[in-house]
Amino acid sequence: MLKGYISPYNATVVQKLLDGGAVLLGKTNLDEFAMGSGSTDGVFGPVRNPWSYSRQYKEKIVPRSDSEPENSNWVITGGSSGGSAAAVSAFTCFAALGSDTGGSTRNPAAHCGVVGLKPTYGLISRHGLIPLVNSMDVPGILTRCVDDAAVVLGSLAGHDPKDSTTVQDIFQPFALPSLTDVSKLSIGIPKEYHAPGLSSEILAVWSKAADLFKNAGAKVVEVSLPHTHYSIVCYHVLCTAEVASNMARFDGLEYGHRSDMNKSTESMYAATRREGFSDVVRGRILSGNYFLLKQNYEDYFVKAQKVRRLIANDFVKVFGSGVDILLTPTTLSDAVPYVEFIKEDNRTRSTQDDILTQAANMAGLPAVNVPTALSGRGLPIGLQFIGRSFQEKQLLTVAKWFEKQEMKYLLCIQILQISGYTHHQKDEFQTSSGERC
Amino acid sequence: MAAARPLRHRSDALPARVDDVTNRFRWRAMRALGLCRWLLGGTVRALGPGAATASSAPSPQDGVTVEVLDHLERLALVDFRDAEGVERLREAVRFAERLREVNTEGVEPMDSVLEDRCLYLREDDVTEGSCTAELLKNAREKVEEYFVAPPGNIPLPELEERDTFLKEKLPH
C-alpha cells in the first residue's frame, strides 16, 4: 500500500535521534503494518534470524534429508519488528527502533538475543508511528545491552505537543546506577504465565532466574494475574477494531498505491485497498468491522474494553501489594524454523506467540526483554521484566543487575555468533526498507 | 444504557405444525421469554436461522450470513477474496466468543490507560503549515493544488453486480 511513499515529515522519535547526533542507517523489514509475530509477512519477504548462521546452531541442527538445500533451516526472527532486532543482533547498528503493540519489540528481541524495551504508554511520542492500535502502540527500543537502551530512552522520552497522548510530566534522562544490593526488591512471579505450551527449557531458565534473585536476597513471591488467559482474546477484539478504523485512511487519494479504477470514489477506494493490502491486513480489517457492527458492539467491543480494565486492575493490585517488578518468560519457546512457522496462519501464530507479552500492552506498563541463555538448539532465550507505570529507571536498573549476572555468558555467546556469521555470505540478510520510524 | 431491541419474529422460528398443542405451548413460552427479556431491557439477539429456543444462545456463526459479509465489504471497502477469507472471519468470531466467559458485572469499559489524567488542549495558534507542495508530492493524481478523485456520490454496486467472491454465496 505504501510502496514508493516518501514521508514528508520525520517522526518525532526519528527527529529526536537526528537532533541528538545519531546517524540513521536505514529502515528495516517487518511484518506488513506490524501485524504478525514472525516478520514473515512483509512485502519484501521474511526476515532471517542472524542466529541461524551461528556456528552453534549449525552444529546442532539435524539435516532433514540430503536433498534439502543447506540453508533451508533458518529460523524466524519473531515479530513484528524482526528486521530491527536482526539488525542489532548482527552488529549492524548500535540500536534500532521498533514498535510494540502486542509484544512486537520484545518477541523478536527474545528470538534474536537482544534487549527489547517497551516503554510506558504515553512516555514516548507516537507522532509519525503508523498507528495500529492507538491505545496500545508505543515505539520500542532494541539494543544489545540495557545501558544502551537507557541511553536511547533518554533521548526519546518526553512530552511532545504533536502527540496528545504523551504525558506532560517532565522526563529526566537517567544513567543507570549499578545495583549491588537487591535485598529490598520484591520480585513477583505470576503463576498464570506458566502457559500451556511453555517449553521446558524456558521454564528452567525462568526458575533459575527466580532462584538467582532469591539467593541474592530479594523477596521472590508468587503472584496471580487471574485474567491473563483472556488478555489475548481481548487484544484480538480491540486490535482488530482499532485496525479497522486506522486502516481506513489508506484510500490511495492523497498518498500510497492508487488503483486505476475510476468509475467512482468508492469503487476506486475498494480497488486500491484490494490491491494494496495483504490477506492478513484485510482479515483484521474485516474482523474489526464485524466486532464494531451495531449488533455486535456491546457483545464484543465494549466487553473487551471491560475485560481490559480487569486485566489492568490485576496489575494494579499486584503492584499495590508490594511487588516491584514482575519476572516472566517472553516467548513460549526459542525461534522456530521458517518452514515450521508458516504452517499455521498469521492470526493463529499471533495468538500463540503474543500470549506472554500482550498483557503489558493492555495495561500500558513498561516491559523489557533481557537475553538470558541459549537453548539446546543454540538459539537465544530471553526473560521479561514488567515494571510499574513510568518507573523505567527502576525496571532498567533491575534488568541491568540481572544482565550483569549473565554477562560473562552473553559475551561468549556474542563472540561465537560473530565467528559463525563472518563465514557466511552477506547477501543472505534482509536489510531493505519498510516504513517504520 | 442498553438500547431495547425489538424481538424479530421469523416464520422459520415457528414450529412446523402450530396446531400441535405441545408445540403451541412451547411457542408461546418462547414469545413470553423473549418479551420478558425485551421488557427488562436486556440485549435480545436477532433469531438466526436454526435457533431452537430463545433461551439457548444462538450460535455466533449465525451472525456471519451473506448479508453481513456483504455489509462488511461495503463498510470496510475491502473484499474477502476467497473462502479462506470468510473462514478467517468465522475463526476470529469463534475465538472472540471466549470473552463471554468473563464476568464483567459492574465493570466500566476502559478506553485508555491514561484515563486518570487530563487530556490537555494546546493553544489555538497556527504553528505549522504552508507545505502544499510537499504533501502533493505523494499523490498520484492531482491538478494544481487539488487531489483528484473519481466522481463521488455513486454508491458501490450491489452484490450481484460487484466482482466479488461473495457472489457465489448468493442464494440462487
Side-chain angles (χ1 to χ4, degrees), chain B:
Chain B
M1 185 207 83
R5 296 194 181 95
L7 183 65
R8 278 172 53 188
H9 296 285
R10 296 179 52 153
S11 56
D12 49 13
L14 292 177
R17 287 165 54 222
V18 186
D19 54 353
D20 180 19
V21 171
T22 331
N23 278 344
R24 216 181 305 156
F25 176 78
R26 212 179 280 152
W27 177 65
R28 284 198 188 127
M30 270 163 59
R31 278 199 66 182
L33 198 61
L35 201 58
C36 282
R37 269 204 198 151
W38 180 72
L39 287 172
L40 291 168
T43 311
V44 175
R45 256 173 248 112
L47 292 175
T53 62
S55 53
S56 66
S59 151
Q61 304 310 315
D62 297 339
V64 187
T65 59
V66 180
E67 290 79 26
V68 168
L69 294 174
D70 177 36
H71 186 47
L72 287 177
E73 277 201 350
R74 288 172 164 284
L75 278 181
L77 287 181
V78 147
D79 65 327
F80 277 98
R81 192 70 55 96
D82 51 26
E84 209 188 305
V86 178
E87 190 48 42
R88 222 177 274 135
L89 176 69
R90 290 217 152 94
E91 262 305 313
V93 176
R94 252 195 295 264
F95 187 62
E97 286 300 312
R98 282 184 57 196
L99 279 180
R100 290 183 201 283
E101 297 164 21
V102 191
N103 178 10
T104 51
E105 199 72 48
V107 180
E108 283 298 308
M110 181 188 234
D111 293 310
S112 162
V113 292
L114 300 175
E115 59 187 0
D116 47 0
R117 289 171 188 258
C118 251
L119 188 69
Y120 62 91
L121 295 174
R122 67 181 182 114
E123 290 301 316
D124 189 16
D125 293 325
V126 175
T127 49
E128 53 184 355
S130 307
C131 47
T132 321
E134 292 252 13
L135 293 177
L136 284 173
K137 264 192 213 157
N138 281 309
R140 209 184 77 170
E141 287 186 39
K142 51 201 176 220
V143 166
E144 291 180 7
E145 290 190 343
Y146 295 88
F147 295 111
V148 178
N153 271 339
I154 301 173
L156 210 60
E158 292 298 322
L159 187 58
E160 296 81 15
E161 289 144 42
R162 284 210 312 273
D163 178 23
T164 164
F165 155 77
L166 289 180
K167 256 201 310 218
E168 298 160 34
K169 291 186 149 261
L170 275 178
H172 297 293

Side-chain angles (χ1 to χ4, degrees), chain A residues 4-9 121-122 127 135 159-169 227 229-230 232-234 236-238 242 252-271 273-275 277 279-280 282-283 285-291 293-296 298-310 312-313 345 347 351 361-364 390, chain B residues 1-3 5 43-46 59-65 68-69 71-82 84-115 117-122 127-128 131 134-142 147-157 162-164:
Chain A
Y5 172 72
I6 299 174
S7 173
Y9 66 100
Y121 179 83
H127 176 71
S135 59
H159 173 61
D160 180 21
K162 292 184 185 162
D163 178 1
S164 65
T165 56
T166 49
V167 295
Q168 290 188 289
D169 306 347
H227 295 97
H229 309 295
Y230 298 106
I232 198 69
V233 190
C234 182
H236 165 71
V237 173
L238 291 178
E242 295 217 28
L253 201 55
E254 292 121 347
Y255 48 78
H257 170 71
R258 178 174 172 149
S259 155
D260 292 324
M261 158 71 74
N262 254 328
K263 277 209 198 96
S264 71
T265 319
E266 285 215 0
S267 60
M268 188 277 277
Y269 288 170
R273 290 156 73 82
R274 182 172 41 246
E275 292 161 22
F277 284 144
D279 287 343
V280 173
R282 280 198 339 270
I285 294 174
L286 290 163
S287 308
N289 277 105
Y290 180 84
F291 295 133
L293 288 177
K294 208 163 32 170
Q295 66 257 34
N296 295 331
E298 286 280 336
D299 292 336
Y300 295 101
F301 186 70
V302 178
K303 180 86 180 182
Q305 287 188 309
K306 292 180 181 176
V307 174
R308 183 176 183 181
R309 183 178 294 283
L310 291 174
N313 286 347
D345 79 322
R347 197 194 62 82
T351 315
N361 291 87
M362 280 279 149
F390 299 104
Chain B
M1 185 207 83
R5 296 194 181 95
T43 311
V44 175
R45 256 173 248 112
S59 151
Q61 304 310 315
D62 297 339
V64 187
T65 59
V68 168
L69 294 174
H71 186 47
L72 287 177
E73 277 201 350
R74 288 172 164 284
L75 278 181
L77 287 181
V78 147
D79 65 327
F80 277 98
R81 192 70 55 96
D82 51 26
E84 209 188 305
V86 178
E87 190 48 42
R88 222 177 274 135
L89 176 69
R90 290 217 152 94
E91 262 305 313
V93 176
R94 252 195 295 264
F95 187 62
E97 286 300 312
R98 282 184 57 196
L99 279 180
R100 290 183 201 283
E101 297 164 21
V102 191
N103 178 10
T104 51
E105 199 72 48
V107 180
E108 283 298 308
M110 181 188 234
D111 293 310
S112 162
V113 292
L114 300 175
E115 59 187 0
R117 289 171 188 258
C118 251
L119 188 69
Y120 62 91
L121 295 174
R122 67 181 182 114
T127 49
E128 53 184 355
C131 47
E134 292 252 13
L135 293 177
L136 284 173
K137 264 192 213 157
N138 281 309
R140 209 184 77 170
E141 287 186 39
K142 51 201 176 220
F147 295 111
V148 178
N153 271 339
I154 301 173
L156 210 60
R162 284 210 312 273
D163 178 23
T164 164

